Amino acid sequence: MIFGRVKPLDAILATAEKKSLHRSLGAFQLTMLGIGAVIGTGIFVLTAEATQKAGPGMMLSFVIAGAVCAVAALCYAEMAAMVPVSGSAYTYSYAVMGELVAWMVGWALILEYAIAAGAVSVGWSGYFIGWLNTSFNISVPLDLVRGPFDGGMINVPAMVIAALVTALLVKGTKESATVNAVLVGVKILALGMFVILTIPVIKTGQFTPFAPLGFAGISGAAASIFFAYVGFDAVSTAAEETKNPQRNMPIGLIGSLAVCTIFYLLVAAGVIGTVGAQPMFGPAGEVLSPGTPALSQACAAVQDSAVVCSKEALAWTLKSIGYPFIGWLVGAAAIIALPSVILMMMFGQTRVFFVMSRDGLLPEFFSRVHPKFHTPHVITIITGIFVTLFAAFFPVGLLADVSNSGTLFAFAAVSIAVLVLRRTDPTRVRPFRTPAIMLTAPVAIIGCIYLFFSLSTTTITLFFGWAVVGLVVYFAYSRRKSHVGRGIIEVAEHEAYEELKPEVPGTH
């Protein structure tokens, strides 16, 4: 199962021991970081996308996606506790399965982080425009708030928020664990209010028919709604800053996933039970696909503002049951909190690029650090440009699906790595052991494959096209520039990364 050169695990650990980041995070802070990265567009916006695919069956979609994430989280926990260094899935793959697999995982993580940041930017735009309209009766032309694939021309608010976050990252904004905990508190308070107000007025009749498009619709929604869980693995990127990582990393990974799953199910029940969740159909009886002009036009024609039409589904739901002010507060909470998710996604992307550049797989100038701000400004600006373009022209549903494809690949790679390392290095100390590994890891791998092929044909095609581009880049450039391939295993490879320490989320 080893493809190409391996970066020895002991060398990685020795490097981290010699030059590691300041360890300041405990289990609670890690859990808050995980919740902060997870709760975002997935629940505030994609609820509407999921109802169009699965109807009330989206509750089962949340369960399926959450179950796959749970078994993947157990595999992540073993690797993160055993290898508490930066790089996450990329580093694990490099140490266990070789450089080629590590490169493909790192390449796929571009889809997870950069495109996810674009999706959250689009989600933020929907809430911001809805809030402007509700609060100040300001209507922005459709052409300026939707991309060409969603019935408009360009999404200006999404571009602006992506550009602002990029500027903050370049300057070196410090997202401390305390600030993050406050933002998480805002999100949880907003979702808590939503649940408290909607659960008492649930009508059981709204859950019928439960699966109007059958299990295929539920599977498709699960593959899309998987985006709601993207981000829990960001906890593993903070491994080098964690006190007692052998104990706290598993708690942070699994704890944040558990909290988010409970909220997701309660919120989904609140949406469905109050305003319903049935797909919309076209003139010929076909299901109108999320993120298409046809659905946008159909939504513009209806008078009852079906939940599938709402870019700010939770806020709209509260308004529809007689709580317009609370709906306004939920919208405001999303506007305040979602940029923190964009920041976390872009931060993760730039740091993965930084580590890959440090390993020689990407050009050296990518890992240059700004002399004043002490941030990797070159790769941050490049990432910001691409995120801004994604946000400007593509709808949230398509961006989320493409992001999911990269995430599912990375999750499967980590699950395979755990199995391989159990066979190749069974005596290595494992502070946390994935329970029932011969069952857990295969279930995670099969679940990721199942959800991957439940994505749309367009998304799958885009993923494989992206993979081909990645292979071309690897064999044309990265393979011959690799430090491991050239016999350079830098014992002090964290020296440049040490300069970034003040800017790492969660440090003080």
Side-chain angles (χ1 to χ4, degrees):
M1 292 291 295
I2 295 177
F3 301 93
R5 312 140 174 164
V6 171
K7 188 173 185 180
L9 189 56
D10 288 331
I12 295 174
L13 292 170
T15 298
E17 185 69 25
K18 183 180 178 66
K19 275 280 190 180
S20 64
L21 298 170
H22 177 58
R23 298 189 183 277
S24 60
L25 299 177
F28 174 77
Q29 292 166 311
L30 279 176
T31 302
M32 289 297 100
L33 283 173
I35 296 172
V38 172
I39 294 181
T41 296
I43 189 63
F44 281 106
V45 179
L46 286 183
T47 304
E49 300 281 345
T51 63
Q52 185 64 6
K53 292 183 178 180
M58 75 170 175
M59 290 194 67
L60 186 54
S61 300
F62 272 117
V63 172
I64 294 172
V68 173
C69 279
V71 288
L74 292 171
C75 295
Y76 259 92
E78 177 168 324
M79 293 300 295
M82 187 168 50
V83 193
V85 298
S86 60
S88 187
Y90 163 77
T91 299
Y92 307 152
S93 300
Y94 213 156
V96 178
M97 294 181 290
E99 186 174 275
L100 179 58
V101 174
W103 166 263
M104 295 308 297
V105 169
W107 193 251
L109 286 175
I110 297 172
L111 296 182
E112 174 178 353
Y113 288 120
I115 294 186
V120 179
S121 299
V122 176
W124 179 89
S125 172
Y127 264 89
F128 180 67
I129 294 303
W131 182 78
L132 281 180
N133 185 268
T134 302
S135 304
F136 306 105
N137 200 29
I138 298 175
S139 296
V140 182
L142 183 67
D143 285 345
L144 299 180
V145 296
R146 290 183 180 177
F149 296 93
D150 199 18
M153 289 181 61
I154 188 170
N155 194 328
V156 174
M159 289 183 66
V160 170
I161 192 64
L164 288 175
V165 170
T166 300
L168 290 173
L169 283 171
V170 169
K171 189 173 181 180
T173 300
K174 301 177 182 179
E175 189 190 49
S176 70
T178 301
V179 172
N180 181 74
V182 171
L183 294 177
V184 170
V186 171
K187 298 179 192 179
I188 291 179
L189 179 62
L191 294 179
M193 287 193 298
F194 180 87
V195 170
I196 290 171
L197 294 175
T198 57
I199 294 297
V201 295
I202 282 179
K203 302 173 184 176
T204 55
Q206 298 281 25
F207 292 85
T208 304
F210 184 74
L213 301 178
F215 194 75
I218 292 174
S219 299
S224 294
I225 225 164
F226 188 81
F227 184 80
Y229 294 97
V230 171
F232 89 84
D233 60 322
V235 174
S236 65
T237 66
E240 282 190 32
E241 302 124 89
T242 301
K243 296 180 293 186
N244 191 9
Q246 292 77 9
R247 169 186 176 273
N248 292 333
M249 287 303 300
I251 293 175
L253 283 163
I254 298 168
S256 59
L257 183 63
V259 171
C260 292
T261 300
I262 292 171
F263 265 110
Y264 286 174
L265 289 175
L266 290 174
V267 170
V271 171
I272 297 167
T274 53
V275 297
Q278 298 300 328
M280 292 188 69
F281 298 91
E286 76 280 9
V287 178
L288 298 180
S289 300
T292 61
L295 180 60
S296 300
Q297 292 165 8
C299 288
V302 297
Q303 299 300 316
D304 58 354
S305 299
V307 68
V308 292
C309 300
S310 180
K311 295 292 186 183
E312 59 280 357
L314 304 192
W316 181 87
T317 299
L318 288 171
K319 295 170 191 174
S320 70
I321 61 173
Y323 297 101
F325 179 68
I326 304 298
W328 180 87
L329 286 179
V330 169
I335 293 169
I336 294 169
L338 286 179
S340 71
V341 183
I342 302 170
L343 189 145
M344 285 295 293
M345 294 295 103
M346 289 185 64
F347 178 92
Q349 177 63 81
T350 56
R351 271 49 180 185
V352 168
F353 269 147
F354 184 88
V355 175
M356 294 174 74
S357 173
R358 194 176 59 190
D359 287 338
L361 298 179
L362 291 174
E364 179 274 335
F365 75 89
F366 279 15
S367 55
R368 288 180 183 170
V369 177
H370 195 283
K372 179 181 179 182
F373 301 134
H374 306 292
T375 58
H377 59 294
V378 175
I379 194 56
T380 299
I381 292 171
I382 293 173
T383 299
I385 290 172
F386 280 101
V387 170
T388 301
L389 292 174
F390 294 151
F393 298 113
F394 296 98
V396 64
L398 177 60
L399 290 173
D401 281 358
V402 173
S403 175
N404 289 344
S405 66
T407 306
L408 289 165
F409 180 80
F411 283 12
V414 172
S415 302
I416 294 171
V418 171
L419 275 178
V420 172
L421 200 59
R422 284 285 186 100
R423 290 184 61 87
T424 59
D425 197 357
T427 60
R428 183 173 291 277
V429 176
R430 290 170 168 81
F432 176 86
R433 296 178 68 88
T434 303
I437 185 64
M438 297 310 295
L439 174 63
T440 304
V443 167
I445 296 165
I446 293 170
C448 288
I449 293 172
Y450 173 74
L451 289 180
F452 179 87
F453 285 102
S454 295
L455 293 167
S456 68
T457 303
T458 301
T459 301
I460 295 172
T461 303
L462 286 172
F463 174 83
F464 283 113
W466 181 250
V468 169
V469 173
L471 288 172
V472 171
V473 174
Y474 175 75
F475 285 107
Y477 175 87
S478 303
R479 180 174 173 79
R480 58 188 174 86
K481 294 289 187 178
S482 162
H483 290 176
V484 172
R486 295 161 58 197
I488 306 172
I489 299 179
E490 302 176 38
V491 176
E493 66 178 359
H494 284 270
E495 288 180 356
Y497 198 49
E498 181 78 0
E499 298 181 49
L500 303 177
K501 185 167 62 179
E503 276 67 50
V504 176
T507 61
H508 300 281

